[in-house]
């Protein structure tokens, strides 16, 4: 962890660290592990993007990254999406705010952050009482989130009493007097139960720390961590780690001191130690950031550019932004490519999980859709007068949509809305039809009336090769309120090719009355030359012309061994 | 009006582009409905596979999530 902040200090330095962590999240799009945190590779990369990275060799991991990650999640700047950590729209809104508002928002996020316990960052302490994921064991004195938050607020209040440079030891004296029981309750220290800081010990020690005379070692360590990290990085104080002193910080709105160079190889370089973080964030949102400390690089890429357009950015505006940031005119090849990417991307728009509002007939949704619904969900007009937006939460949708309107949720099984009528007819009331039912009707039928459809052999035959006969039947069955009627089933399965052709005509049979007799005949060497197919255990379809040969063979066995009628036994 | 939640929607600049897209991704038979010449409705997983197929080919459509 940093002891000094170099030339940059206060929230200005902190925000650059936050930017580094967010850019790493963009670049790596890390998958979240079971505990809800990204993997070690992310922590290492994000740590390298900090102004003063942690060394990670003191066994504490990467406290600065943990800190910024917790804050970013607490402020809603980063969130899990499909199992991955991603910047949110709230991050864009955050960086669109002025400097002072951003600082105030992050300070509030820190004061109320429940994910973070600064005691875990104290270099000389170990917290065996703290279980995985910073959950507090019930029998430990490791402070729960509420006490941590109270202590943060208490220390911030104390800072108002500091005017000149103050030694940390003086602050601790003041804090011990005013905030003695805030982080950990000491009111019952005389009790045998409270001899030790349960679950808190010196790094490497086998025993928990005794409470008597150790307030500065435990609570003091907590306050020192506050000075080093949150208070310093959020601009409350200027912290000098080498002398362990702090001073109230009055941080003015900073002036940007950086240059942006757009190179013909599509690399954008931000030179200088103090770039405008709000501007750099906008750049990071449509490029591939290559997080770094002093020199920030951003690669212009088609995919990132398209993603930005998907979030509602405008290609021309992005080009104009880049041009305004660059100290020189944009290279011609870069400008041409960006324009080209914009046009190509705008040709196809996909909502992978959408709410689609369908205009029926001549309905004009501009007149009928409630304005609150359009505005809150961000419904955009499509061809045909319809509207679409990313799928909202169903409860939020129900609260906004007009009453008595059909809502179909395609993440579930949809209602069966068609029923077989007479013969090959299907009835499907228009007002209840959803897209799955309509797909089945379009694939298999032709419309005969407002709500009546007729199974069409040509359409069935056309659809079957693409989807498969069974899939077709399955789709129809899943949309029907009743079982397929025999006539409908036969027609569908025949036209889709599920049923082959049927033989209708004359044929010769070999029919035995006795099973043993059939077995004995089957053992004859000539048998396979006579028989085309076995129909049952005692019935055989004979090959053309084989009847005469069978009769001749049987007659050799004696009279009455062969008959020409299906009824009656020739021999008892 | 009808509300269809959790469907995939594809809109293209023109009908020919949509035809081309459905041919390239082989999703023609899986389209639930063509609600306009340039708008197709699909199941979510089909829209996702269309997106992946396009990206595999170096095309990066505008994705609204």
């Amino acid at each position: 962890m940093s002891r000094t902040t170099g030339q940059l200090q206060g929230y200005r330095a902190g925000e650059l660290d936050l930017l580094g962590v967010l850019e790493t999240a963009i670049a790596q799009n890390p998958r979240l592990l079971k505990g809800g945190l990204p993997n070690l590779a992310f922590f290492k990369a994000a740590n390298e993007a900090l102004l003063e990275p942690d060394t990670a060799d003191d066994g504490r991991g990467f406290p600065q990254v943990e800190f910024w990650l917790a804050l970013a999640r607490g402020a809603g700047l980063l969130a899990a999406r499909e199992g991955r950590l991603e910047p949110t729209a709230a991050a864009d809104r955050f960086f669109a705010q002025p400097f002072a508002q951003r600082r105030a928002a992050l300070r509030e996020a820190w004061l109320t952050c429940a994910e973070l316990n600064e005691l875990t960052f104290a270099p000389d302490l170990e917290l065996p009482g703290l279980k995985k994921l910073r959950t507090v064991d019930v029998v430990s004195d490791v402070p729960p989130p509420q006490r941590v938050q109270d202590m943060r607020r208490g220390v911030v209040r104390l800072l108002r009493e500091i005017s000149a440079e103050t030694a940390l030891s003086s602050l601790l004296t003041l804090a011990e007097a005013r905030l003695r029981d805030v982080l950990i309750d000491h009111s019952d220290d005389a009790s045998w139960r409270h001899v030790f800081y349960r679950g808190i010990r010196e790094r490497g020690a086998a025993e928990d720390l005794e409470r008597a005379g150790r307030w500065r070692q435990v609570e003091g360590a907590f306050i020192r961590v506050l000075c080093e990290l949150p208070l310093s990085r959020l601009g409350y104080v200027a912290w000098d780690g080498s002398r362990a002193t702090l001073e109230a910080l009055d941080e003015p709105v900073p002036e940007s001191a950086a240059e942006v160079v757009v190179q013909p190889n599509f690399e954008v370089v931000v030179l200088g130690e103090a770039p405008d973080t709000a501007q750099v964030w906008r750049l990071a949102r449509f490029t591939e950031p290559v997080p770094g400390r002093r020199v920030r690089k951003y690669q212009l890429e088609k995919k990132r550019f398209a993603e930005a357009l998907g979030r509602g950015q405008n290609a021309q505006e992005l080009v104009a932004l880049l041009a305004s940031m660059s100290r020189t005119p944009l290279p011609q090849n870069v400008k041409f490519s960006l324009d080209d990417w914009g046009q190509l991307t705008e040709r196809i728009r996909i909502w992978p999980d959408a709410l689609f509002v369908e205009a029926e007939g001549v309905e004009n949704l501009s007149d009928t859709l409630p304005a609150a619904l359009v505005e809150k969900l961000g419904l955009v007009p499509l061809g045909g007068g319809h509207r679409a937006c990313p799928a909202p939460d169903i409860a939020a949708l129900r609260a906004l949509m007009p009453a008595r309107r059909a809502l179909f949720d395609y993440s579930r099984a949809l209602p069966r809305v068609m029923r077989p009528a007479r013969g090959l007819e299907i009835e499907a009331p228009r007002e209840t039809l959803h897209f799955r039912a309509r797909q089945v009707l379009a694939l298999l039928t032709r419309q005969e009336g407002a709500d009546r459809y007729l199974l069409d052999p040509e359409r069935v035959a056309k659809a079957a090769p693409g989807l498969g006969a069974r899939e077709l039947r399955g789709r129809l069955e899943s949309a029907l309120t009743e079982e397929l009627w025999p006539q409908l089933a036969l027609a569908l399965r025949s036209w889709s090719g599920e049923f082959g052709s049927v033989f209708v005509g004359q044929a010769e049979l070999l029919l035995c009355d006795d099973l043993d007799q059939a077995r004995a005949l089957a053992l004859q060497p000539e048998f396979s030359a006579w028989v085309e197919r076995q129909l049952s255990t005692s019935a055989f379809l004979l090959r053309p012309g084989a009847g005469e040969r069978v009769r001749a063979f049987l007659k050799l066995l004696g009279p009455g061994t062969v008959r020409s009628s299906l009824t009656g036994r020739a021999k008892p | 009006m009808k509300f269809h939640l959790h469907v995939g929607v594809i809109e293209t600049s023109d009908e020919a582009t949509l035809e081309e897209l459905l041919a390239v991704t082989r999703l023609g038979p899986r389209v639930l409905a063509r609600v306009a010449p340039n708008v197709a409705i699909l199941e979510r997983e089909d829209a996702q596979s269309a997106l992946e197929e396009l990206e595999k080919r170096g095309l990066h459509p505008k994705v609204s999530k």
Side-chain angles (χ1 to χ4, degrees):
Chain A
M1 201 186 308
S2 67
R3 296 293 185 268
T4 62
T5 55
Q7 289 183 331
L8 278 177
Q9 62 174 5
Y11 178 69
R12 188 76 192 277
E15 199 172 56
L16 285 172
D17 281 347
L18 171 68
L19 192 64
V21 172
L22 294 177
E23 284 180 357
T24 309
I26 294 176
Q28 294 211 343
N29 192 211
R31 190 173 285 284
L32 292 172
L33 306 178
K34 272 185 184 174
L37 290 172
N39 57 18
L40 183 62
F42 169 82
F43 276 91
K44 283 182 176 172
N47 185 57
E48 283 307 306
L50 300 176
L51 291 177
E52 294 177 28
D54 291 313
T55 55
D57 54 8
D58 55 5
R60 291 185 304 154
F62 304 101
Q64 289 188 84
V65 178
E66 270 191 67
F67 169 73
W68 289 114
L69 193 57
L71 234 58
R73 292 172 83 154
L77 312 183
L78 286 174
R81 187 178 208 168
E82 293 166 6
R84 292 182 179 276
L85 193 63
E86 285 183 6
T88 61
D92 299 330
R93 291 194 293 274
F94 171 81
F95 281 104
Q97 298 178 103
F99 178 82
Q101 285 182 30
R102 296 201 301 269
R103 182 175 57 191
L106 269 197
R107 283 180 177 181
E108 187 55 30
W110 168 62
L111 288 170
T112 55
C113 185
E115 274 187 50
L116 200 65
N117 184 343
E118 285 86 345
L119 201 58
T120 61
F121 299 156
D124 301 326
L125 296 179
E126 218 171 56
L127 308 177
L130 199 64
K131 284 183 178 171
K132 239 179 163 183
L133 292 180
R134 315 280 188 223
T135 51
V136 177
D137 193 310
V138 286
V139 294
S140 106
D141 285 325
V142 176
Q146 187 58 53
R147 279 187 175 272
V148 172
Q149 290 166 16
D150 291 345
M151 189 66 170
R152 287 177 195 147
R153 290 188 188 279
V155 173
V156 168
R157 274 196 303 275
L158 286 186
L159 293 180
R160 293 185 193 133
E161 297 176 27
I162 293 174
S163 52
E165 188 179 87
T166 306
L168 175 65
S169 58
S170 305
L171 179 67
L172 294 184
T173 305
L174 192 62
E176 191 170 2
R178 305 264 188 89
L179 308 169
R180 183 175 164 75
D181 295 330
V182 176
L183 193 64
I184 296 163
D185 188 8
H186 291 274
S187 61
D188 196 23
D189 274 5
S191 155
W192 62 270
R193 288 174 190 271
H194 296 131
V195 173
F196 296 98
Y197 280 103
R198 291 167 302 182
I200 302 173
R201 59 186 62 166
E202 281 180 304
R203 195 163 289 277
E207 299 284 325
D208 289 343
L209 271 169
E210 275 191 46
R211 288 189 174 212
R214 300 287 172 81
W215 195 92
R216 285 187 171 223
Q217 197 172 344
V218 177
E219 280 91 339
F222 179 91
I223 293 173
R224 183 178 180 116
V225 171
L226 292 195
C227 291
E228 287 175 346
L229 193 50
L231 294 177
S232 154
R233 289 300 202 234
L234 296 177
Y236 287 97
V237 297
W239 166 251
D240 183 343
S242 59
R243 294 164 54 226
T245 58
L246 62 151
E247 190 174 0
L249 185 64
D250 182 20
E251 196 175 2
V253 176
E255 297 246 337
S256 171
E259 273 190 349
V260 177
V261 181
V262 182
Q263 304 188 121
N265 64 356
F266 293 88
E267 195 172 73
V268 182
V269 184
V270 179
L271 299 162
E273 287 188 354
D276 177 350
T277 43
Q279 197 179 45
V280 171
W281 174 252
R282 291 190 69 186
L283 179 63
R285 286 293 262 168
F286 68 93
T287 59
E288 177 80 24
V290 185
R293 266 164 271 164
R294 300 293 177 205
V295 179
R296 293 174 176 272
K297 291 182 183 172
Y298 302 84
Q299 194 69 35
L300 289 163
E301 276 187 0
K302 205 192 277 187
K303 187 171 187 291
R304 295 291 185 199
F305 196 72
E307 285 173 357
L309 300 189
R311 285 192 298 271
Q313 304 261 33
N314 176 287
Q316 294 307 316
E317 283 173 15
L318 291 180
V319 174
L321 171 73
L322 194 61
S324 70
M325 291 168 78
S326 174
R327 70 174 178 186
T328 54
L330 292 183
Q332 278 302 307
N333 65 322
V334 171
K335 188 173 181 316
F336 177 83
S337 292
L338 292 179
D339 289 339
D340 192 39
W341 294 348
Q343 283 171 15
L344 284 173
T345 298
E346 295 285 357
R347 283 181 65 204
I348 304 172
R349 185 164 190 184
I350 298 182
W351 288 262
D353 184 9
L355 166 69
F356 180 79
V357 185
E358 184 187 9
E360 292 187 291
V362 292
E363 183 181 26
N364 185 351
L365 290 181
S366 306
D367 299 334
T368 52
L369 267 179
L373 181 84
V374 177
E375 196 179 315
K376 285 198 176 164
L377 301 183
L379 282 164
V380 296
L382 304 179
H386 310 289
R387 303 284 173 115
C389 68
D393 176 59
I394 191 164
L397 174 60
R398 281 191 196 280
L400 290 168
M401 64 184 274
R404 295 187 298 279
R405 297 291 183 176
L407 169 61
F408 301 108
D409 181 355
Y410 290 73
S411 65
R412 297 159 176 261
L414 292 173
R416 295 164 179 258
V417 290
M418 309 188 309
R419 60 175 289 273
R422 288 176 301 133
L424 301 180
E425 276 187 12
I426 295 170
E427 280 182 2
R430 194 174 27 184
E431 61 274 14
T432 60
L433 273 184
H434 46 71
F435 285 135
R436 284 183 190 146
R438 279 150 69 172
Q439 184 200 33
V440 173
L441 290 173
L443 283 171
L444 304 177
T445 67
R446 62 172 189 271
Q447 196 160 4
E448 290 285 295
D451 299 334
R452 283 191 318 114
Y453 298 81
L454 192 68
L455 197 66
D456 184 89
E458 282 177 17
R459 291 195 177 188
V460 172
K462 191 178 166 192
L467 284 171
R470 287 187 174 208
E471 170 75 13
L472 268 189
R473 181 157 55 91
R475 289 191 185 196
L476 180 58
E477 283 173 342
S478 67
L480 289 174
T481 53
E482 299 166 25
E483 276 190 14
L484 268 179
W485 288 12
Q487 191 180 350
L488 200 55
L490 182 63
L492 175 68
R493 299 180 75 173
S494 300
W495 294 340
S496 67
E498 197 177 348
F499 285 159
S501 60
V502 176
F503 171 76
V504 181
Q506 293 186 339
E508 283 193 297
L509 289 177
L510 170 63
L511 190 64
C512 303
D513 294 325
D514 190 283
L515 187 58
D516 290 338
Q517 184 187 25
R519 284 184 184 145
L521 275 171
L523 290 172
Q524 300 307 310
E526 301 91 336
F527 189 79
S528 60
W530 300 336
V531 170
E532 176 74 36
R533 189 187 298 179
Q534 185 169 6
L535 303 177
S536 75
T537 50
S538 59
F540 304 89
L541 176 67
L542 294 177
R543 292 182 193 278
E548 277 309 312
R549 282 181 278 154
V550 177
R551 279 192 201 95
F553 174 81
L554 291 172
K555 278 178 183 169
L556 292 176
L557 301 178
T561 52
V562 63
R563 69 176 193 271
S564 299
S565 165
L566 283 173
T567 54
R569 293 169 69 95
K571 254 183 183 174
Chain B
M1 77 185 78
K2 282 181 184 168
F3 290 80
H4 303 271
L5 186 61
H6 297 308
V7 289
V9 179
I10 299 179
E11 185 190 39
T12 57
S13 53
D14 52 56
E15 186 177 358
T17 306
L18 184 56
E19 295 292 350
E20 196 181 341
L21 184 153
L22 294 174
V24 163
T25 56
R26 297 191 195 91
L27 283 169
R30 302 194 68 84
V31 170
L32 290 177
R34 289 280 287 268
V35 291
N38 64 330
V39 182
I41 308 292
L42 297 101
E43 296 286 359
R44 285 180 298 177
E45 49 272 31
D46 290 333
Q48 186 61 39
S49 73
L51 177 58
E52 286 164 11
E53 185 66 36
L54 290 174
E55 291 196 334
K56 220 185 282 176
R57 291 164 187 266
L59 298 165
H60 297 285
K62 194 169 173 176
V63 183
S64 298
K65 288 184 178 175

